Amino acid sequence: DGGITQSPKYLFRKEGQNVTLSCEQNLNHDAMYWYRQDPGQGLRLIYYSQIVNDFQKGDIAEGYSVSREKKESFPLTVTSAQKNPTAFYLCASKRQGASERGGEQFFGPGTRLTVL
Amino acid sequence: KNQVEQSPQSLIILEGKNCTLQCNYTVSPFSNLRWYKQDTGRGPVSLTIMTFSENTKSNGRYTATLDADTKQSSLHITASQLSDSASYICVVILDNYGQNFVFGPGTRLSVLP
């Protein structure tokens, strides 16, 4: 059963701690993305990766870090430098290539992070 | 600045009624436009995709339209159901590879019994 998974679904963190959110996909997609979603707001791009061992900053990368050591995995670390980390985090993956379906991003179920 | 705007911000309708959600964009160039449905606490799921040459695309009770001249798209939901309660997000893709894209803020739809 192909798809994209995120864990955990809910995560609580004390202020000042780093935390890592997991994102795994078995769709054989090259590109992966991390978004942040705040209540009543649209998706904002944190980081993205077009290929293994390469990633780029999105619109709101400050306070976050990522790695892409494997094609299937794109973990996101929320560091203590992120001033307002409480949010819903979404991971997505996309097949590369110039086609009608080349633009479709497949999203995971999300992780809700709450800083106590 | 490339922008995608959606209206209304939120909408409440009764079960069985129809509704139309709007998406206006100023981005350029334009490759295609997608509508996503996002249930509360879940990830978005693609509903339709439209290229610049398409005017209408249907997916069950969902019908998307596109006017590339006025840079407007709409999503029409027919005979709404309680399960249609969700956020609907318009995304404009700027290139054929889908590497450049702009998300709209979404419209929150609530369908009441």
Side-chain angles (χ1 to χ4, degrees):
Chain A
D1 187 21
I4 179 166
T5 59
Q6 293 182 240
S7 62
K9 187 170 179 63
Y10 299 97
L11 188 57
F12 297 89
R13 181 195 104 177
K14 290 184 179 179
E15 202 168 331
Q17 290 181 336
N18 293 353
V19 64
T20 298
L21 282 59
S22 169
C23 178
E24 303 278 335
Q25 55 97 2
N26 59 6
L27 300 169
N28 200 34
H29 287 171
D30 287 303
M32 296 187 74
Y33 305 82
W34 272 107
Y35 296 92
R36 170 182 172 138
Q37 188 174 39
D38 293 285
Q41 296 190 29
L43 301 178
R44 291 187 290 169
L45 183 63
I46 305 173
Y47 267 99
Y48 64 99
S49 168
Q50 304 282 13
I51 196 169
V52 175
N53 292 323
D54 184 58
F55 49 83
Q56 305 295 329
K57 292 182 179 180
D59 300 320
I60 56 166
E62 185 176 351
Y64 300 97
S65 66
V66 294
S67 63
R68 188 81 188 279
E69 298 176 0
K70 299 187 299 182
K71 188 176 184 178
E72 306 80 30
S73 179
F74 191 40
L76 172 74
T77 297
V78 184
T79 74
S80 57
Q82 169 51 235
K83 299 305 180 186
N84 186 22
T86 294
F88 187 54
Y89 291 87
L90 284 162
C91 178
S93 69
K94 184 180 74 68
R95 182 167 62 95
Q96 295 290 60
S99 68
E100 180 176 300
R101 300 195 67 80
E104 180 175 3
Q105 295 186 28
F106 293 79
F107 287 84
T111 292
R112 186 166 300 279
L113 173 64
T114 302
V115 175
L116 304 174
Chain B
K1 179 180 178 182
N2 289 329
Q3 286 200 359
V4 177
E5 298 178 346
Q6 293 187 241
S7 61
Q9 185 176 17
S10 61
L11 181 63
I12 301 174
I13 62 173
L14 295 177
E15 186 179 11
K17 298 297 185 182
N18 303 336
C19 67
T20 300
L21 314 180
Q22 299 290 342
C23 174
N24 297 336
Y25 59 94
T26 59
V27 298
S28 180
F30 173 90
S31 175
N32 57 78
L33 184 148
R34 289 184 179 274
W35 282 92
Y36 282 86
K37 177 187 179 186
Q38 183 181 19
D39 293 317
T40 301
R42 309 288 292 274
V45 176
S46 180
L47 287 175
T48 65
I49 176 175
M50 302 183 70
T51 64
F52 65 90
S53 61
E54 296 177 298
N55 299 117
T56 304
K57 182 73 71 77
S58 291
N59 179 3
R61 294 180 297 102
Y62 300 101
T63 299
T65 65
L66 174 65
D67 186 333
D69 292 331
T70 61
K71 297 188 175 183
Q72 295 181 327
S73 177
S74 65
L75 181 69
H76 185 76
I77 303 175
T78 303
S80 61
Q81 301 176 358
L82 298 179
S83 59
D84 292 331
S85 295
S87 289
Y88 292 85
I89 302 170
C90 171
V91 184
V92 178
I93 293 92
L94 308 180
D95 64 285
N96 289 338
Y97 293 86
Q99 294 182 357
N100 296 293
F101 48 87
V102 183
F103 278 83
T107 291
R108 176 69 200 176
L109 174 65
S110 298
V111 180
L112 303 181

